[in-house]
């Protein structure tokens, strides 16, 4: 048990910061969460959202502190992808081999609910408090209206930076000797669009599908909300022939959607307003190390490892950071030095792995989901898994519907890809894939790998 109740500050009242607050409050820490913005429950949240996809890792973290059921009330299960081809046809691709689903949740709706739940647990929130700097040695925050002061100095036993991809806590840590940091922006940006509900409040398209309009270098996605609407996201290059820079008039916008997304004409009645009013946002991957400073400061979630959203694992990975940290606090409650040391050792390789997987998944979503070879490969993997579940679990299931480490998922996924690359070279594979010959060939390749090792 703790020798005393420590005073802990969390920078950032987003999803990771609020859940972390609940975890720490349950361990009898005195928890204050600071956020530079006003209370999210009192402001309109729109224009920059990519709806969240809650999966096994996220639910595991929520259920451990007893709030999963409250959040399931605002979540919509999606058990498949709906691939909208350019000719207007739709193909469906199931997610899990056993019918599992990911869950669509409005980012703003979830954040508001989680702040309520954290306050009920006894977490204190200080909104409109801008953190400009931190003294790492003393865990003292410098809070003020602007970066030149005057500052209100607040000292804590620990400070945890959950303040996102452009973290002020990490910014201070970067000024240390031997602190490694990199960021990489994609040339792809995104813009939020909206499909409103029918007049009777129902969804205009299937609410239990993750809708994708894959078009190679750009794509449109849509995730359902519990009010009958869909939050859509258009991913597109910043510059080039088909880009946010080039599509800059109503005529060009209409021509673009008529050519590439003709089946959305009735779905997006506010396309013009959404496109020209909502901001064009960027996508960044960040890597840094170390994540901690002595027993005083630690980074968590996007502050430590921002990733692009194409595997739907950003929030889930951040929540998994929390469960790992929580387990270590239980194991070493009076040795925060050791907790922080082991926390970053455990989580850094997994954060790097999901960053790589997320980047790769953009290629899959934007191009491969419309490819016949890719769709066949998924069918073969599901077919083989049902016959030999002890020998094969598809990469998507390993990442999304399990608690297996991301690091292992990446390594095993790379090996399985090498196996499937060989399988797809078999003659007549498109017409004769459910055969003993194919099954035995996969088993042979798996056994060969064991022998080689």
């Amino acid at each position: 048990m703790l020798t005393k109740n420590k005073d802990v500050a969390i920078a950032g009242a987003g999803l990771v910061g609020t859940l972390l607050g609940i975890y720490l409050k349950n361990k009898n820490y005195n928890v204050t969460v600071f956020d530079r913005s006003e209370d999210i429950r009192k402001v309109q949240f729109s224009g920059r959202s990519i709806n969240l996809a809650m999966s096994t890792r996220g639910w595991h973290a929520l259920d451990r502190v007893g709030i999963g059921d409250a959040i399931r009330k605002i979540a919509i299960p999606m058990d498949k992808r709906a691939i909208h081809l350019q000719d207007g046809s739709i193909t469906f691709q199931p997610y899990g081999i056993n019918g599992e689903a990911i869950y669509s949740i409005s980012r703003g709706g979830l954040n508001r609910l989680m702040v309520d739940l954290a306050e009920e647990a006894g977490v204190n929130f200080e909104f409109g408090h801008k953190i400009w700097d931190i003294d790492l040695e003393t865990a003292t925050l410098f809070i003020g209206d602007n970066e030149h002061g005057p500052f209100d100095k607040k000292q804590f036993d620990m400070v945890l930076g959950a303040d996102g991809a452009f973290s002020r806590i990490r910014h201070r840590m970067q000024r240390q000797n031997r602190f490694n940091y990199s960021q990489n922006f994609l040339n792809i940006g995104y813009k939020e669009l909206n499909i409103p509900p029918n007049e009777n409040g129902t969804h205009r398209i299937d609410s239990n599908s993750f809708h994708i309009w894959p078009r190679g270098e750009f794509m449109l996605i849509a995730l359902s909300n519990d009010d009958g609407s869909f939050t859509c996201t258009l991913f597109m290059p910043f510059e080039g022939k088909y880009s946010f820079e080039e599509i800059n008039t109503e005529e060009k916008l209409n021509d673009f959607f008529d050519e590439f997304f003709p089946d959305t004409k009735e779905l997006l009645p506010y396309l013009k307003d959404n496109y020209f009013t909502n901001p064009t946002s960027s996508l960044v991957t960040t890597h840094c190390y170390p994540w901690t400073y002595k027993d005083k400061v630690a980074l968590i979630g996007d502050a430590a490892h921002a990733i692009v959203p194409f595997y739907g694992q950003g929030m889930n990975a951040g929540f998994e950071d929390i469960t790992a940290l929580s387990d270590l606090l239980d194991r070493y409650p009076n040795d925060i030095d050791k907790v922080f040391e082991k926390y970053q050792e455990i989580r850094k390789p997994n954060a790097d792995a999901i960053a790589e997987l997320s980047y790769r998944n953009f290629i899959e979503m934007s191009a491969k989901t419309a490819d016949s070879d890719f769709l066949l490969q998924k069918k073969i993997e599901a077919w083989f898994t049902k016959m030999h579940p002890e020998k094969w679990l598809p990469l998507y299931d390993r990442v999304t519907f399990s608690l297996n480490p991301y690091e292992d998922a990446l390594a095993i996924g790379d090996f399985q890809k090498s196996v499937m690359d060989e399988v797809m070279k078999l003659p007549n594979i498109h017409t004769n894939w459910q055969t003993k010959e194919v099954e035995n060939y996969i088993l042979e390749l798996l056994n060969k790998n064991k022998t080689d090792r």
Side-chain angles (χ1 to χ4, degrees), residues 286-289 291 304 343-353:
T286 64
H287 296 278
C288 71
Y289 202 77
W291 292 2
Y343 158 69
Q344 63 183 5
E345 286 177 0
I346 291 168
R347 293 303 297 162
K348 170 63 171 170
N350 289 293
D352 289 346

Side-chain angles (χ1 to χ4, degrees), residues 2 171 215 220-221 230-231 252 265 285 298 308 314 327 352 375 388 413 431 444:
L2 289 169
H171 179 72
R215 301 295 184 263
L220 180 70
I221 66 171
F230 282 79
T231 298
K252 289 180 180 179
K265 190 167 186 178
T285 300
V308 293
D327 290 343
D352 289 346
L375 296 174
H388 300 282
T431 54
E444 177 187 329

Side-chain angles (χ1 to χ4, degrees), residues 101-166:
I102 58 176
Y103 287 76
S104 175
I105 306 180
S106 158
R107 183 182 295 272
L110 177 59
N111 207 162
R112 294 186 189 103
L113 175 56
M114 288 185 64
V115 171
D116 284 340
L117 293 169
E119 280 191 341
E120 290 172 14
V123 176
N124 178 49
F125 285 86
E126 297 287 350
F127 292 102
H129 283 59
K130 298 177 181 179
I131 297 171
W132 295 103
D133 205 350
I134 177 174
D135 184 317
L136 300 176
E137 290 287 348
T138 62
T140 299
L141 296 176
F142 293 78
I143 298 170
D145 290 334
N146 65 72
E147 60 184 327
H148 303 296
F151 297 117
D152 183 10
K153 300 178 182 179
K154 294 182 181 292
Q155 185 174 358
F156 295 86
D157 294 301
M158 285 189 295
V159 172
L160 296 163
D163 47 342
F166 304 102

Side-chain angles (χ1 to χ4, degrees), residues 76 128 174 348 376 432:
I76 299 175
Q174 286 172 230
K348 170 63 171 170
L376 175 60
N432 295 306

Side-chain angles (χ1 to χ4, degrees), residues 52 71 111 131 135 157 198 205 252 272-273 284 303 330-331 358 362 376 403 426:
L52 302 163
I71 290 166
N111 207 162
I131 297 171
D135 184 317
D157 294 301
N198 290 314
I205 51 179
K252 289 180 180 179
K272 182 188 73 170
D273 290 341
V284 66
D330 290 342
R331 189 174 177 184
S358 298
F362 171 68
L376 175 60
L403 300 177
L426 290 172

Side-chain angles (χ1 to χ4, degrees), residues 55-61 64 316 320 323 347 350 393 397-406 408-409:
S55 56
T56 298
R57 298 170 202 270
W59 290 123
H60 174 72
R64 279 183 51 167
N316 293 282
E320 195 170 62
T323 58
R347 293 303 297 162
N350 289 293
L393 184 65
D397 295 71
R398 198 176 294 276
V399 170
T400 307
F401 303 124
S402 84
L403 300 177
N404 295 332
Y406 291 128
D408 292 352

Side-chain angles (χ1 to χ4, degrees), residues 37 55 60 78 97 99 144 167 203 229 237 240 299 319 324 383 401 425:
S37 302
S55 56
H60 174 72
M78 301 181 295
I97 56 173
S167 166
H203 292 92
S229 69
L299 303 174
F319 284 4
W383 166 73
F401 303 124
K425 294 176 185 175

